[in-house]
Amino acid sequence: MRTFADWEEVPIFDNEEAEAVFWSENRPALRLMEAAMAGNAESSESVTVTLRFDPRMLARIKRLARSRYLNYQSMVKQWLSERMEQELRDK
């Protein structure tokens, strides 16, 4: 079993079978798993970005997030993640 130390080493899979083969032969290093489980800013591999929104759009996003009992930033990250996955599938 091969251990990888960086999430960048995980390829983009063409199908579920290719993904299953990859995960049967590879595993993340313990450091990566601990960082994923910790969830704090020091150990996570997230970065801060700045996006500029029209004030009305941001107000609508916040209102929508509140109606779903979500933090608006988390909701926007979820949207981006879902769209990214869709784009990669449609390729």
Side-chain angles (χ1 to χ4, degrees):
M1 169 104 23
R2 181 181 161 278
T3 301
F4 58 90
D6 190 337
W7 291 114
E8 295 294 321
E9 296 180 50
V10 178
I12 297 172
F13 303 103
D14 293 331
N15 54 52
E16 287 184 18
E17 184 177 313
E19 184 174 4
V21 169
F22 175 83
W23 289 113
S24 70
E25 298 171 353
N26 298 274
R27 69 175 180 209
L30 183 58
R31 174 187 70 80
L32 290 178
M33 295 305 295
E34 288 172 346
M37 298 293 289
N40 63 31
E42 288 80 32
S43 66
S44 71
E45 294 185 17
S46 65
V47 296
T48 301
V49 298
T50 301
L51 296 173
R52 297 193 184 275
F53 288 102
D54 173 89
R56 292 171 295 204
M57 179 187 287
L58 182 57
R60 291 172 64 196
I61 290 170
K62 287 181 176 181
R63 203 167 32 252
L64 183 57
R66 268 196 312 272
S67 74
R68 297 177 181 188
Y69 302 100
L70 295 172
N71 173 298
Y72 80 94
Q73 294 166 327
S74 297
M75 187 178 74
V76 169
K77 284 192 286 187
Q78 180 181 356
W79 286 350
L80 290 171
S81 177
E82 289 171 358
R83 180 55 187 257
M84 182 177 61
E85 290 299 320
Q86 178 185 356
E87 291 286 330
L88 291 172
R89 274 194 311 270
D90 294 346
K91 249 183 151 177

Coordinates of all heavy atoms in Angstrom, one line a residue:
M1 N 0.9 -1.2 0.0 CA 0.0 0.0 0.0 C 0.9 1.2 0.0 O 1.8 1.4 0.8 CB -0.9 0.0 1.2 CG -1.7 1.2 1.5 SD -3.4 1.4 1.1 CE -4.2 -0.2 1.0
R2 N 0.6 2.1 -0.9 CA 1.4 3.4 -1.0 C 0.8 4.5 -0.2 O -0.5 4.6 -0.2 CB 1.4 3.8 -2.5 CG 2.2 5.1 -2.7 CD 2.2 5.4 -4.2 NE 2.5 6.8 -4.4 CZ 1.7 7.8 -4.3 NH1 0.5 7.6 -3.9 NH2 2.1 9.1 -4.5
T3 N 1.6 5.2 0.5 CA 1.1 6.4 1.3 C 1.5 7.7 0.7 O 2.6 7.8 0.3 CB 1.7 6.3 2.8 OG1 1.3 5.0 3.4 CG2 1.2 7.4 3.6
F4 N 0.5 8.6 0.5 CA 0.8 9.9 -0.1 C 0.7 10.9 1.0 O 0.0 10.8 1.9 CB -0.1 10.2 -1.3 CG -1.6 10.2 -1.0 CD1 -2.2 11.3 -0.6 CD2 -2.3 9.0 -1.1 CE1 -3.6 11.3 -0.3 CE2 -3.7 9.0 -0.9 CZ -4.3 10.2 -0.5
A5 N 1.5 12.0 0.8 CA 1.6 13.0 1.8 C 1.0 14.4 1.4 O 1.0 15.3 2.2 CB 3.1 13.3 2.1
D6 N 0.4 14.4 0.3 CA -0.2 15.7 -0.2 C -1.5 15.3 -1.0 O -1.5 14.4 -1.8 CB 0.8 16.4 -1.1 CG 0.3 17.8 -1.5 OD1 -0.9 18.1 -1.4 OD2 1.2 18.6 -1.8
W7 N -2.6 16.1 -0.7 CA -3.9 15.8 -1.4 C -3.8 16.0 -2.9 O -4.6 15.5 -3.6 CB -5.0 16.7 -0.8 CG -5.3 16.3 0.6 CD1 -5.2 17.1 1.7 CD2 -5.9 15.1 1.0 NE1 -5.6 16.4 2.8 CE2 -6.1 15.2 2.4 CE3 -6.4 13.9 0.4 CZ2 -6.6 14.1 3.2 CZ3 -6.9 12.9 1.1 CH2 -7.1 13.0 2.5
E8 N -2.8 16.8 -3.3 CA -2.6 17.0 -4.8 C -2.2 15.7 -5.5 O -2.3 15.7 -6.7 CB -1.5 18.1 -5.0 CG -1.8 19.5 -4.4 CD -2.9 20.1 -5.2 OE1 -3.0 20.0 -6.4 OE2 -3.8 20.8 -4.5
E9 N -1.8 14.7 -4.8 CA -1.4 13.4 -5.4 C -2.6 12.6 -5.7 O -2.5 11.6 -6.4 CB -0.5 12.7 -4.5 CG 0.9 13.3 -4.2 CD 1.7 12.5 -3.3 OE1 1.9 11.3 -3.5 OE2 2.3 13.1 -2.3
V10 N -3.8 13.0 -5.3 CA -5.1 12.3 -5.6 C -5.5 12.8 -6.9 O -5.8 13.9 -7.1 CB -6.1 12.5 -4.5 CG1 -7.4 11.8 -4.9 CG2 -5.6 12.1 -3.1
P11 N -5.6 11.9 -7.9 CA -6.0 12.3 -9.3 C -7.5 12.6 -9.4 O -8.3 12.3 -8.5 CB -5.6 11.1 -10.1 CG -5.7 9.9 -9.2 CD -5.3 10.4 -7.8
I12 N -7.8 13.2 -10.5 CA -9.2 13.3 -10.9 C -9.7 12.0 -11.6 O -9.0 11.6 -12.5 CB -9.5 14.6 -11.8 CG1 -9.1 15.8 -11.0 CG2 -10.9 14.6 -12.2 CD1 -9.0 17.1 -11.8
F13 N -10.7 11.4 -11.1 CA -11.1 10.1 -11.6 C -12.1 10.2 -12.7 O -13.0 11.0 -12.7 CB -11.6 9.2 -10.4 CG -10.7 9.1 -9.3 CD1 -10.9 9.8 -8.1 CD2 -9.6 8.2 -9.3 CE1 -10.0 9.7 -7.0 CE2 -8.7 8.1 -8.3 CZ -8.9 8.8 -7.1
D14 N -11.9 9.3 -13.7 CA -12.9 9.3 -14.8 C -14.2 8.6 -14.4 O -15.2 8.8 -15.0 CB -12.2 8.5 -16.0 CG -11.1 9.3 -16.6 OD1 -11.1 10.5 -16.5 OD2 -10.2 8.7 -17.1
N15 N -14.1 7.6 -13.5 CA -15.2 6.9 -13.0 C -15.0 6.3 -11.7 O -13.9 6.3 -11.1 CB -15.6 5.8 -14.1 CG -14.4 4.9 -14.3 OD1 -13.8 4.3 -13.4 ND2 -14.0 4.7 -15.6
E16 N -16.0 5.7 -11.1 CA -16.0 5.2 -9.7 C -15.0 4.0 -9.7 O -14.4 3.7 -8.6 CB -17.4 4.8 -9.2 CG -18.2 6.0 -8.9 CD -19.5 5.6 -8.3 OE1 -19.7 4.5 -7.8 OE2 -20.4 6.5 -8.3
E17 N -15.0 3.2 -10.7 CA -14.1 2.0 -10.7 C -12.6 2.5 -10.6 O -11.8 1.9 -9.8 CB -14.3 1.2 -12.0 CG -13.5 -0.1 -12.0 CD -13.8 -0.9 -13.3 OE1 -14.9 -1.0 -13.6 OE2 -12.8 -1.3 -13.9
A18 N -12.2 3.5 -11.3 CA -10.8 4.0 -11.3 C -10.6 4.5 -9.9 O -9.5 4.3 -9.3 CB -10.6 5.1 -12.3
E19 N -11.6 5.2 -9.3 CA -11.4 5.7 -7.9 C -11.2 4.6 -6.9 O -10.4 4.6 -6.0 CB -12.6 6.6 -7.5 CG -12.4 7.2 -6.2 CD -13.5 8.2 -5.8 OE1 -14.5 8.4 -6.6 OE2 -13.4 8.8 -4.8
A20 N -12.0 3.5 -7.1 CA -11.9 2.4 -6.2 C -10.6 1.7 -6.3 O -10.0 1.3 -5.2 CB -13.0 1.4 -6.5
V21 N -10.0 1.6 -7.5 CA -8.7 1.0 -7.6 C -7.7 1.9 -6.9 O -6.8 1.3 -6.2 CB -8.4 0.8 -9.1 CG1 -6.9 0.5 -9.3 CG2 -9.3 -0.2 -9.8
F22 N -7.7 3.2 -7.1 CA -6.8 4.1 -6.5 C -6.8 3.9 -5.0 O -5.7 3.7 -4.4 CB -7.1 5.5 -6.9 CG -6.2 6.5 -6.2 CD1 -4.9 6.8 -6.6 CD2 -6.6 7.1 -5.0 CE1 -4.1 7.7 -6.0 CE2 -5.8 8.0 -4.3 CZ -4.5 8.3 -4.8
W23 N -8.0 4.0 -4.4 CA -8.1 3.9 -2.9 C -7.7 2.5 -2.4 O -7.3 2.4 -1.2 CB -9.4 4.3 -2.4 CG -9.6 5.8 -2.6 CD1 -10.5 6.5 -3.4 CD2 -8.9 6.9 -1.9 NE1 -10.3 7.8 -3.3 CE2 -9.3 8.1 -2.4 CE3 -7.9 6.9 -1.0 CZ2 -8.8 9.3 -2.0 CZ3 -7.4 8.1 -0.5 CH2 -7.9 9.3 -1.0
S24 N -7.8 1.5 -3.2 CA -7.4 0.1 -2.7 C -5.9 0.0 -2.7 O -5.4 -0.8 -2.0 CB -8.0 -0.9 -3.6 OG -7.4 -0.9 -4.9
E25 N -5.2 0.9 -3.4 CA -3.7 0.8 -3.5 C -3.0 2.0 -2.8 O -1.8 1.9 -2.7 CB -3.3 0.8 -5.0 CG -3.8 -0.4 -5.8 CD -3.6 -0.3 -7.3 OE1 -3.2 0.8 -7.7 OE2 -3.9 -1.3 -8.0
N26 N -3.8 3.0 -2.4 CA -3.2 4.2 -1.8 C -3.9 4.6 -0.5 O -5.1 4.3 -0.4 CB -3.2 5.3 -2.8 CG -2.4 5.1 -4.0 OD1 -1.2 5.3 -4.1 ND2 -3.1 4.5 -5.1
R27 N -3.2 5.3 0.3 CA -3.8 5.8 1.5 C -3.1 7.1 1.9 O -1.9 7.3 1.7 CB -3.8 4.9 2.7 CG -2.4 4.6 3.2 CD -2.4 3.8 4.4 NE -1.0 3.6 4.9 CZ -0.6 2.5 5.5 NH1 -1.4 1.6 5.8 NH2 0.7 2.5 5.9
P28 N -3.9 8.1 2.5 CA -3.3 9.3 2.9 C -2.4 9.1 4.2 O -2.6 8.3 5.0 CB -4.5 10.2 3.3 CG -5.6 9.3 3.5 CD -5.3 8.0 2.8
A29 N -1.4 10.0 4.3 CA -0.5 9.9 5.4 C -1.3 10.3 6.7 O -2.3 11.1 6.6 CB 0.7 10.9 5.2
L30 N -0.8 9.8 7.8 CA -1.5 10.1 9.1 C -1.6 11.6 9.3 O -2.7 12.1 9.8 CB -0.8 9.5 10.2 CG -1.4 9.6 11.6 CD1 -2.8 9.0 11.6 CD2 -0.5 8.9 12.6
R31 N -0.6 12.4 8.9 CA -0.6 13.8 9.1 C -1.8 14.5 8.3 O -2.5 15.4 8.9 CB 0.7 14.4 8.5 CG 0.8 15.9 8.5 CD 2.0 16.4 7.8 NE 2.0 16.2 6.3 CZ 1.3 17.0 5.5 NH1 0.6 18.0 5.9 NH2 1.4 16.7 4.2
L32 N -2.1 14.0 7.1 CA -3.2 14.5 6.4 C -4.5 14.2 7.0 O -5.4 15.0 7.1 CB -3.2 14.0 4.9 CG -2.1 14.5 4.0 CD1 -2.2 13.8 2.7 CD2 -2.2 16.0 3.9
M33 N -4.7 13.0 7.5 CA -5.9 12.6 8.2 C -6.1 13.4 9.5 O -7.2 13.8 9.8 CB -5.9 11.1 8.5 CG -5.9 10.3 7.2 SD -7.3 10.6 6.1 CE -8.6 10.1 7.1
E34 N -5.0 13.6 10.3 CA -5.2 14.4 11.5 C -5.6 15.8 11.2 O -6.4 16.4 11.9 CB -3.8 14.3 12.3 CG -3.6 12.9 12.9 CD -2.2 12.8 13.5 OE1 -1.3 13.7 13.2 OE2 -2.0 11.9 14.3
A35 N -5.0 16.4 10.2 CA -5.3 17.7 9.8 C -6.8 17.8 9.4 O -7.5 18.8 9.7 CB -4.4 18.2 8.7
A36 N -7.3 16.8 8.7 CA -8.7 16.9 8.2 C -9.6 16.7 9.4 O -10.7 17.3 9.4 CB -8.9 15.7 7.2
M37 N -9.2 16.0 10.4 CA -10.1 15.7 11.6 C -10.0 16.9 12.6 O -11.0 17.2 13.3 CB -9.7 14.5 12.3 CG -9.8 13.2 11.5 SD -11.5 12.8 11.1 CE -12.1 12.3 12.7
A38 N -8.9 17.6 12.7 CA -8.7 18.7 13.7 C -9.7 19.8 13.4 O -10.3 20.3 14.4 CB -7.3 19.1 13.7
G39 N -9.8 20.3 12.2 CA -10.7 21.3 11.9 C -10.4 22.7 12.4 O -11.2 23.6 12.3
N40 N -9.2 22.9 13.0 CA -8.8 24.3 13.4 C -7.9 24.9 12.3 O -7.4 24.3 11.5 CB -8.2 24.3 14.8 CG -6.8 23.5 14.8 OD1 -6.1 23.5 13.8 ND2 -6.5 22.9 15.9
A41 N -7.8 26.3 12.4 CA -7.1 27.0 11.4 C -5.7 26.7 11.3 O -5.1 26.7 10.2 CB -7.3 28.5 11.7
E42 N -5.0 26.3 12.4 CA -3.6 26.1 12.4 C -3.3 24.8 11.6 O -2.3 24.7 10.9 CB -3.0 25.9 13.8 CG -2.9 27.3 14.5 CD -4.2 27.7 15.1 OE1 -5.0 26.8 15.5 OE2 -4.4 28.9 15.2
S43 N -4.1 23.8 11.7 CA -3.8 22.5 11.1 C -4.5 22.3 9.8 O -4.2 21.3 9.1 CB -4.2 21.4 12.1 OG -5.5 21.3 12.3
S44 N -5.5 23.1 9.5 CA -6.2 22.9 8.2 C -5.4 23.5 7.1 O -4.6 24.3 7.2 CB -7.6 23.5 8.3 OG -7.5 24.9 8.2
E45 N -5.7 22.9 5.9 CA -4.9 23.4 4.7 C -5.8 24.4 3.9 O -5.7 24.4 2.7 CB -4.5 22.2 3.9 CG -3.5 21.3 4.6 CD -3.0 20.2 3.7 OE1 -3.2 20.3 2.5 OE2 -2.4 19.3 4.3
S46 N -6.6 25.2 4.5 CA -7.4 26.1 3.8 C -6.7 27.5 3.8 O -5.8 27.8 4.6 CB -8.8 26.3 4.5 OG -8.7 26.8 5.8
V47 N -7.1 28.3 2.8 CA -6.5 29.6 2.6 C -7.7 30.6 2.6 O -8.8 30.3 2.3 CB -5.7 29.7 1.4 CG1 -4.5 28.8 1.4 CG2 -6.5 29.4 0.1
T48 N -7.4 31.8 3.0 CA -8.3 32.9 2.9 C -8.3 33.6 1.6 O -7.2 33.9 1.0 CB -8.0 33.9 4.0 OG1 -8.1 33.2 5.3 CG2 -9.0 35.0 4.0
V49 N -9.5 33.8 1.0 CA -9.6 34.5 -0.3 C -10.6 35.7 -0.1 O -11.4 35.6 0.8 CB -10.0 33.6 -1.4 CG1 -9.1 32.5 -1.7 CG2 -11.4 33.1 -1.2
T50 N -10.5 36.6 -0.9 CA -11.4 37.8 -0.9 C -12.2 37.8 -2.1 O -11.7 37.7 -3.2 CB -10.6 39.1 -0.8 OG1 -9.8 39.1 0.4 CG2 -11.5 40.3 -0.7
L51 N -13.5 37.8 -2.0 CA -14.4 38.0 -3.1 C -15.2 39.2 -2.9 O -15.7 39.5 -1.8 CB -15.4 36.8 -3.2 CG -14.8 35.4 -3.4 CD1 -15.9 34.3 -3.3 CD2 -14.2 35.3 -4.8
R52 N -15.5 39.9 -4.0 CA -16.3 41.1 -3.9 C -17.7 40.8 -4.5 O -17.8 40.4 -5.6 CB -15.6 42.3 -4.7 CG -14.3 42.6 -4.1 CD -13.8 44.0 -4.6 NE -12.5 44.2 -4.1 CZ -12.2 44.8 -3.0 NH1 -13.2 45.2 -2.2 NH2 -11.0 45.1 -2.6
F53 N -18.7 41.1 -3.7 CA -20.1 40.9 -4.1 C -20.8 42.2 -4.1 O -20.5 43.1 -3.3 CB -20.8 40.0 -3.1 CG -20.4 38.5 -3.1 CD1 -19.6 38.0 -2.2 CD2 -20.9 37.7 -4.1 CE1 -19.2 36.7 -2.2 CE2 -20.5 36.4 -4.2 CZ -19.7 35.9 -3.2
D54 N -21.8 42.3 -5.0 CA -22.7 43.4 -4.9 C -23.4 43.3 -3.6 O -23.8 42.2 -3.2 CB -23.7 43.3 -6.1 CG -24.8 44.3 -6.1 OD1 -24.6 45.4 -6.6 OD2 -25.8 44.0 -5.5
P55 N -23.6 44.4 -2.9 CA -24.2 44.4 -1.6 C -25.6 43.7 -1.6 O -25.9 43.0 -0.6 CB -24.4 45.8 -1.1 CG -23.3 46.5 -1.9 CD -23.2 45.8 -3.2
R56 N -26.4 43.9 -2.6 CA -27.7 43.3 -2.7 C -27.6 41.8 -2.8 O -28.3 41.0 -2.2 CB -28.5 43.9 -3.8 CG -28.9 45.3 -3.5 CD -29.5 45.9 -4.7 NE -28.5 45.9 -5.8 CZ -28.4 46.7 -6.8 NH1 -29.4 47.5 -7.0 NH2 -27.4 46.7 -7.7
M57 N -26.6 41.3 -3.6 CA -26.4 39.9 -3.8 C -26.0 39.3 -2.5 O -26.5 38.2 -2.1 CB -25.4 39.6 -4.9 CG -25.1 38.1 -5.0 SD -23.7 37.7 -6.2 CE -24.5 38.1 -7.7
L58 N -25.1 39.9 -1.8 CA -24.6 39.4 -0.5 C -25.7 39.3 0.5 O -25.9 38.3 1.2 CB -23.4 40.2 0.1 CG -22.8 39.7 1.4 CD1 -22.3 38.3 1.2 CD2 -21.7 40.6 1.8
A59 N -26.6 40.3 0.5 CA -27.7 40.3 1.4 C -28.6 39.1 1.1 O -29.1 38.5 2.0 CB -28.5 41.6 1.4
R60 N -28.9 38.9 -0.2 CA -29.7 37.7 -0.6 C -29.1 36.4 -0.2 O -29.8 35.5 0.3 CB -30.0 37.8 -2.1 CG -30.9 39.0 -2.4 CD -31.0 39.1 -3.9 NE -31.6 38.0 -4.5 CZ -31.6 37.7 -5.8 NH1 -31.0 38.5 -6.7 NH2 -32.2 36.6 -6.3
I61 N -27.8 36.3 -0.3 CA -27.0 35.1 0.0 C -27.2 34.8 1.5 O -27.5 33.7 2.0 CB -25.6 35.1 -0.4 CG1 -25.4 35.1 -1.9 CG2 -24.7 34.0 0.3 CD1 -24.1 35.4 -2.4
K62 N -27.0 35.9 2.3 CA -27.1 35.8 3.8 C -28.5 35.4 4.2 O -28.7 34.6 5.1 CB -26.6 37.1 4.5 CG -25.1 37.3 4.4 CD -24.8 38.6 5.1 CE -23.3 38.8 5.2 NZ -22.9 40.1 5.9
R63 N -29.5 36.0 3.6 CA -30.9 35.7 3.9 C -31.2 34.2 3.6 O -31.8 33.5 4.4 CB -31.8 36.6 3.1 CG -33.1 36.8 3.7 CD -34.0 38.0 3.2 NE -33.8 38.3 1.8 CZ -33.1 39.4 1.3 NH1 -32.6 40.3 2.2 NH2 -33.0 39.6 0.0
L64 N -30.7 33.8 2.4 CA -30.9 32.4 2.1 C -30.2 31.4 3.0 O -30.8 30.4 3.5 CB -30.4 32.2 0.6 CG -30.6 30.8 0.0 CD1 -32.1 30.4 0.0 CD2 -30.1 30.8 -1.4
A65 N -29.0 31.8 3.4 CA -28.3 30.9 4.4 C -29.0 30.9 5.7 O -29.1 29.8 6.3 CB -26.8 31.5 4.5
R66 N -29.5 32.0 6.2 CA -30.2 32.0 7.5 C -31.4 31.2 7.4 O -31.7 30.5 8.4 CB -30.6 33.5 7.8 CG -29.6 34.2 8.7 CD -30.2 35.4 9.3 NE -30.9 36.3 8.4 CZ -30.3 37.3 7.7 NH1 -29.0 37.5 7.7 NH2 -31.1 38.0 6.9
S67 N -32.1 31.2 6.3 CA -33.3 30.4 6.1 C -33.0 28.9 6.2 O -33.9 28.1 6.5 CB -34.1 30.7 4.9 OG -33.4 30.2 3.7
R68 N -31.8 28.5 5.9 CA -31.3 27.1 5.9 C -30.5 26.8 7.2 O -30.0 25.8 7.3 CB -30.5 26.8 4.7 CG -31.2 26.9 3.4 CD -30.4 26.7 2.2 NE -31.1 26.8 1.0 CZ -30.7 26.5 -0.2 NH1 -29.5 26.1 -0.3 NH2 -31.4 26.7 -1.2
Y69 N -30.5 27.8 8.1 CA -29.7 27.7 9.4 C -28.2 27.3 9.1 O -27.6 26.5 9.8 CB -30.3 26.6 10.3 CG -31.8 26.9 10.6 CD1 -32.8 26.3 10.0 CD2 -32.1 27.8 11.6 CE1 -34.1 26.5 10.2 CE2 -33.4 28.1 11.9 CZ -34.4 27.5 11.2 OH -35.7 27.8 11.5
L70 N -27.7 28.0 8.1 CA -26.3 27.9 7.7 C -25.5 29.2 7.8 O -26.1 30.3 7.7 CB -26.1 27.4 6.3 CG -26.7 26.0 5.9 CD1 -26.6 25.8 4.4 CD2 -25.9 24.9 6.6
N71 N -24.2 29.1 8.0 CA -23.4 30.2 7.9 C -23.2 30.5 6.4 O -23.0 29.6 5.6 CB -22.0 29.9 8.5 CG -21.0 30.9 8.3 OD1 -20.6 31.2 7.2 ND2 -20.4 31.4 9.4
Y72 N -23.3 31.8 6.0 CA -23.3 32.1 4.6 C -22.0 31.7 3.9 O -22.0 31.2 2.7 CB -23.7 33.5 4.3 CG -22.6 34.5 4.4 CD1 -21.8 34.9 3.4 CD2 -22.3 35.1 5.7 CE1 -20.7 35.8 3.5 CE2 -21.3 36.0 5.8 CZ -20.5 36.4 4.8 OH -19.5 37.2 4.9
Q73 N -20.9 31.8 4.6 CA -19.6 31.4 4.0 C -19.6 29.9 3.8 O -19.1 29.4 2.7 CB -18.5 31.8 4.9 CG -18.4 33.4 5.0 CD -17.5 33.8 6.1 OE1 -17.4 33.2 7.1 NE2 -16.8 34.9 5.9
S74 N -20.1 29.1 4.7 CA -20.2 27.7 4.5 C -21.1 27.3 3.4 O -20.7 26.4 2.6 CB -20.7 27.0 5.8 OG -19.8 27.2 6.8
M75 N -22.2 28.0 3.2 CA -23.1 27.7 2.1 C -22.4 28.0 0.8 O -22.5 27.2 -0.2 CB -24.4 28.5 2.3 CG -25.4 28.1 1.3 SD -27.0 29.0 1.5 CE -26.5 30.6 0.8
V76 N -21.7 29.1 0.7 CA -21.0 29.5 -0.6 C -20.0 28.5 -0.9 O -19.8 28.0 -2.0 CB -20.5 30.9 -0.5 CG1 -19.6 31.2 -1.7 CG2 -21.6 31.9 -0.5
K77 N -19.2 28.0 0.1 CA -18.2 27.0 -0.1 C -18.9 25.7 -0.6 O -18.3 25.0 -1.5 CB -17.4 26.7 1.2 CG -16.4 27.8 1.4 CD -15.4 27.3 2.5 CE -16.0 27.4 3.9 NZ -15.1 27.1 5.0
Q78 N -20.0 25.3 0.0 CA -20.7 24.2 -0.5 C -21.2 24.3 -1.9 O -21.0 23.4 -2.7 CB -21.9 23.9 0.4 CG -22.7 22.7 0.1 CD -23.9 22.5 1.0 OE1 -24.1 23.2 1.9 NE2 -24.7 21.5 0.7
W79 N -21.7 25.5 -2.3 CA -22.1 25.7 -3.7 C -20.9 25.5 -4.6 O -21.0 24.9 -5.6 CB -22.7 27.1 -3.8 CG -24.0 27.3 -3.2 CD1 -24.9 26.3 -2.8 CD2 -24.7 28.5 -3.1 NE1 -26.0 26.9 -2.3 CE2 -26.0 28.3 -2.5 CE3 -24.4 29.8 -3.4 CZ2 -26.9 29.3 -2.2 CZ3 -25.3 30.8 -3.1 CH2 -26.5 30.6 -2.5
L80 N -19.8 26.1 -4.2 CA -18.6 26.1 -5.1 C -18.1 24.6 -5.2 O -17.8 24.2 -6.3 CB -17.5 26.9 -4.6 CG -17.7 28.4 -4.7 CD1 -16.6 29.2 -3.9 CD2 -17.7 28.9 -6.1
S81 N -18.1 23.9 -4.1 CA -17.7 22.5 -4.2 C -18.6 21.7 -5.1 O -18.2 20.9 -5.9 CB -17.7 21.9 -2.8 OG -17.4 20.6 -2.8
E82 N -19.9 21.9 -4.9 CA -20.9 21.1 -5.8 C -20.7 21.4 -7.2 O -20.7 20.5 -8.1 CB -22.3 21.4 -5.3 CG -22.7 20.8 -4.0 CD -24.0 21.3 -3.4 OE1 -24.6 22.2 -4.1 OE2 -24.4 20.9 -2.3
R83 N -20.5 22.7 -7.5 CA -20.4 23.1 -8.9 C -19.1 22.6 -9.5 O -19.0 22.1 -10.7 CB -20.4 24.6 -9.1 CG -20.3 25.1 -10.5 CD -21.4 24.5 -11.4 NE -21.2 24.8 -12.8 CZ -21.9 25.8 -13.4 NH1 -22.9 26.4 -12.8 NH2 -21.6 26.0 -14.7
M84 N -18.0 22.6 -8.7 CA -16.7 22.1 -9.2 C -16.9 20.6 -9.5 O -16.4 20.1 -10.6 CB -15.7 22.3 -8.1 CG -14.3 21.8 -8.6 SD -13.0 22.2 -7.3 CE -13.6 21.2 -5.9
E85 N -17.5 19.8 -8.6 CA -17.7 18.4 -8.9 C -18.5 18.2 -10.2 O -18.2 17.3 -11.0 CB -18.4 17.7 -7.7 CG -17.5 17.6 -6.5 CD -16.3 16.8 -6.7 OE1 -16.3 15.8 -7.4 OE2 -15.2 17.2 -6.2
Q86 N -19.6 19.0 -10.4 CA -20.4 18.9 -11.6 C -19.6 19.2 -12.8 O -19.6 18.4 -13.8 CB -21.5 19.9 -11.5 CG -22.4 19.9 -12.7 CD -23.5 21.0 -12.6 OE1 -23.6 21.7 -11.7 NE2 -24.2 21.1 -13.7
E87 N -18.7 20.2 -12.8 CA -17.9 20.6 -13.9 C -16.9 19.4 -14.2 O -16.7 19.1 -15.4 CB -17.1 21.9 -13.6 CG -18.0 23.1 -13.6 CD -18.5 23.6 -15.0 OE1 -17.8 23.3 -16.0 OE2 -19.6 24.1 -15.0
L88 N -16.3 18.8 -13.2 CA -15.4 17.8 -13.4 C -16.1 16.5 -14.0 O -15.5 15.8 -14.8 CB -14.7 17.4 -12.1 CG -13.7 18.5 -11.6 CD1 -13.2 18.2 -10.2 CD2 -12.5 18.7 -12.6
R89 N -17.3 16.2 -13.5 CA -18.0 15.1 -14.1 C -18.4 15.3 -15.5 O -18.4 14.4 -16.3 CB -19.3 14.9 -13.2 CG -19.2 14.0 -12.0 CD -20.5 13.6 -11.5 NE -21.5 14.7 -11.3 CZ -21.6 15.4 -10.3 NH1 -20.9 15.2 -9.2 NH2 -22.5 16.4 -10.2
D90 N -18.8 16.5 -15.9 CA -19.2 16.9 -17.2 C -18.1 17.0 -18.2 O -18.4 17.1 -19.4 CB -20.0 18.2 -17.2 CG -21.3 18.0 -16.4 OD1 -21.8 16.9 -16.1 OD2 -21.9 19.1 -16.1
K91 N -16.9 16.9 -17.8 CA -15.7 17.1 -18.7 C -15.7 16.0 -19.7 O -15.9 14.8 -19.4 CB -14.4 17.1 -17.9 CG -13.8 18.4 -17.9 CD -12.5 18.3 -17.1 CE -11.5 19.3 -17.7 NZ -10.3 19.4 -17.0

